[in-house]
Amino acid sequence: MTEASIAAQWATLPDHTAQVESLREAFVERYGSEPDGIWSAPGRLNLLGEYVDFNGGSCFPTPLPYRALIAGRLRRDGILHAESLQMPTPVERPLREIAPGTVSGWFGYVGGVAWSMNQEGGEDISLPPDFGADLLIDSTVPVGGGLSSSAALECSTALALLELSCPLRTEASLEPLPVGGCGPDNDDLRARLARVCMRAENEVAGAVTGGLDQTTSLRSLPGQAMVIDFRDFSFEPVDVNVTGAGLAFLVIDTRAPHDLADGQYSSRRNACEDLRQATGAENLRALLPDDLGFPDLDAEEARRARESTVADTLEHCARVPGVLEGLGEDKLYGWTKHVFTDMMLVERARTLFTDRTPTTPETWRELGQLFTTSHASMRDDLGASRDELDVAVDTCLDHDALGARLVGGGFGGAVLALTTRERVPETAQAVADAFADRGYEKPVFLPLAPGRPANRDL
């Protein structure tokens, strides 16, 4: 560290038990009684697969130890009252008045879930007519970091509202929750709640996402990554044991603002939809071959096969009448090229960790290469990076990281690097110095621990 260096700033790994107790005490102080329960849901770290979920491909996420918590108690007057320890102003609205266009800001993710529960059908999810709730929210998921703080809030809200409504369901002779309620073993109910949360984010919060974040937050398994196939929302647990390999994931919150509702994300999604309609495909994944992992090829052969497959797919699309006229070459050979590229990177990663066990140094080296390839695609083809993200990635690579990439929708947010445990402090300091040299806002480095899915905590 040079004399002019400023020490790298590390976040504190949350003490979840202490956070639950602190939120309980804060609820009692604000509302004058104990909460009926406390629920929480994690943010997610997407190892690979950006702009892929809404195109029917597969993504490779893992739950984070950073969570959104909600303490709540039942009301019987149809009023939803919500307060946040991170936001200064409480919000209170009659549930019957909440709809797209009527709420905004952070409350859109809370009220939007209540609205969506009443739109998805089924007495076991719809809220009873007189249902209301008092809610107090706390979160350690970095906001704007591309780590799915919004989905963590939505998913904890969904569990809270559903379980808080149980007494009214009994009184109104509505369909009760199944045995086990929203417990982790009830994956069918959690899959439905994930769709509730997706609709809330898409139609009320105004960020048209594809279900990656909500599915991971509600349906993941403790301490494991998962590959989610968004053709049918099925998933496969994948053991990515970086610690056992002497490695570590370094997560850098660059503090560069990240907002999926600002139009950049939706414009790229719309281009994908335009291509899908022009080709008549069910989704963009259907334009690629079935097998994308190339299990019989080594890393270099698989790279060449991926590039050839993407090039052939784009040329096929370009020959479809109306595609080039509708999208233009920049979007076809840029934005949608990225989608095909990342779909193939995920399938190769799946192959590395499921078809080639046990892992070897070559496995991890190739995973790092997949990360870096994804970042180059996000930067050069999708145009979704920015200077802070590129500086963080390049600095990690200059300090011998196996790979690095931006995570989330881009245009700000976080960077993920795969490096050796020994190099983590040095690499973090190098990134902090690089940001200081350029006058960027000071980045925050996030320690990691195994995450777990949304659940009731009290």
Side-chain angles (χ1 to χ4, degrees):
M1 187 186 305
T2 67
E3 289 185 7
S5 294
I6 300 175
Q9 179 180 340
W10 284 87
T12 301
L13 195 65
D15 181 335
H16 186 70
T17 301
Q19 191 181 6
V20 168
E21 177 58 23
S22 177
L23 183 60
R24 185 196 67 79
E25 293 174 355
F27 188 95
V28 172
E29 181 179 346
R30 294 197 183 200
Y31 291 106
S33 71
E34 292 283 341
D36 294 332
I38 295 178
W39 298 261
S40 69
R44 63 96 189 95
L45 178 65
N46 195 27
L47 302 181
L48 279 169
E50 309 295 357
Y51 291 73
V52 164
D53 51 354
F54 54 80
N55 286 306
S58 295
C59 299
F60 192 14
T62 188
L64 286 167
Y66 303 92
R67 302 174 73 85
L69 293 86
I70 294 185
R73 71 177 180 188
L74 174 65
R75 295 175 63 138
R76 298 168 179 264
D77 57 1
I79 300 295
L80 184 62
H81 178 98
E83 302 186 26
S84 168
L85 297 183
Q86 282 74 45
M87 300 295 175
T89 306
V91 182
E92 183 171 291
R93 295 291 297 274
L95 273 173
R96 66 179 180 275
E97 296 181 4
I98 297 174
T102 67
V103 293
S104 61
W106 65 269
F107 185 74
Y109 297 100
V110 177
V113 168
W115 171 84
S116 184
M117 290 173 75
N118 289 329
Q119 303 301 312
E120 283 296 299
E123 290 186 348
D124 57 340
I125 285 182
S126 296
L127 297 170
D130 295 331
F131 174 78
D134 289 320
L135 305 176
L136 183 60
I137 300 160
D138 189 17
S139 181
T140 58
V141 186
V143 175
L147 300 174
S148 154
S149 58
S150 58
L153 178 56
E154 292 159 358
C155 294
S156 56
T157 297
L159 292 189
L161 297 185
L162 193 58
E163 290 202 22
L164 285 172
S165 68
C166 286
L168 291 183
R169 293 177 186 280
T170 301
E171 295 169 13
S173 299
L174 295 176
E175 187 73 21
L177 294 183
V179 175
C182 303
D185 294 334
N186 194 338
D187 186 61
D188 289 341
L189 178 58
R190 285 172 171 254
R192 293 174 61 202
L193 289 177
R195 292 187 178 273
V196 163
C197 294
M198 288 167 55
R199 186 168 181 183
E201 182 147 346
N202 292 347
E203 298 187 31
V204 179
V208 186
T209 56
L212 162 66
D213 303 344
Q214 296 85 359
T215 300
T216 306
S217 190
L218 280 163
R219 301 179 64 197
S220 58
L221 299 176
Q224 286 194 294
M226 59 198 296
V227 173
I228 309 170
D229 186 335
F230 285 95
R231 290 174 292 189
D232 59 5
F233 284 80
S234 61
F235 69 89
E236 177 182 8
V238 180
D239 185 19
V240 183
N241 185 6
V242 291
T243 302
L247 302 172
F249 288 133
L250 174 62
V251 179
I252 308 162
D253 182 359
T254 67
R255 312 295 289 277
H258 164 93
D259 183 359
L260 292 188
D262 66 358
Q264 298 274 23
Y265 180 92
S266 60
S267 65
R268 285 151 176 78
R269 174 166 181 154
N270 291 341
C272 295
E273 177 59 19
D274 290 344
L275 179 60
R276 186 199 68 78
Q277 291 185 6
T279 59
E282 181 179 0
N283 48 55
L284 295 194
R285 173 63 179 87
L287 297 172
L288 291 170
D290 289 338
D291 183 8
L292 304 180
F294 307 112
D296 297 327
L297 303 183
D298 65 24
E300 178 59 23
E301 292 168 336
R303 181 190 65 78
R304 291 197 297 266
R306 286 195 303 273
E307 292 177 353
S308 176
T309 301
V310 170
D312 290 346
T313 302
L314 292 171
E315 288 305 311
H316 165 76
C317 293
R319 291 192 295 269
V320 175
V323 165
L324 281 178
E325 295 83 351
L327 266 73
E329 289 191 2
D330 289 346
K331 292 181 181 178
L332 177 63
Y333 293 103
W335 293 2
T336 60
K337 178 186 177 184
H338 162 75
V339 173
F340 293 130
T341 297
D342 252 30
M343 286 182 182
M344 301 197 71
L345 296 177
V346 171
E347 294 301 336
R348 179 62 177 181
R350 182 209 298 263
T351 294
L352 293 178
F353 285 92
T354 59
D355 295 352
R356 295 187 172 188
T357 54
T359 59
T360 65
E362 288 74 24
T363 303
W364 297 103
R365 192 156 42 245
E366 186 174 355
L367 179 64
Q369 293 167 356
L370 300 181
F371 282 6
T372 305
T373 298
S374 178
H375 181 76
S377 179
M378 291 281 282
R379 180 192 63 213
D380 301 334
D381 296 328
L382 195 66
S385 191
R386 57 184 290 171
D387 290 345
E388 294 94 328
L389 301 171
D390 294 339
V391 166
V393 167
D394 291 344
T395 302
C396 290
L397 296 176
D398 288 344
H399 285 75
D400 297 330
L402 279 69
R405 60 178 294 267
L406 70 88
V407 294
F411 311 103
V415 161
L416 167 68
L418 176 63
T419 187
T420 62
R421 283 203 305 270
E422 292 78 10
R423 299 300 293 268
V424 167
E426 173 191 330
T427 304
Q429 187 59 55
V431 172
D433 290 344
F435 273 45
D437 289 344
R438 292 163 175 80
Y440 298 157
E441 187 167 354
K442 188 175 182 179
V444 176
F445 301 89
L446 305 178
L448 292 182
R452 57 187 179 85
N455 214 342
R456 180 171 180 147
D457 296 298
L458 182 67

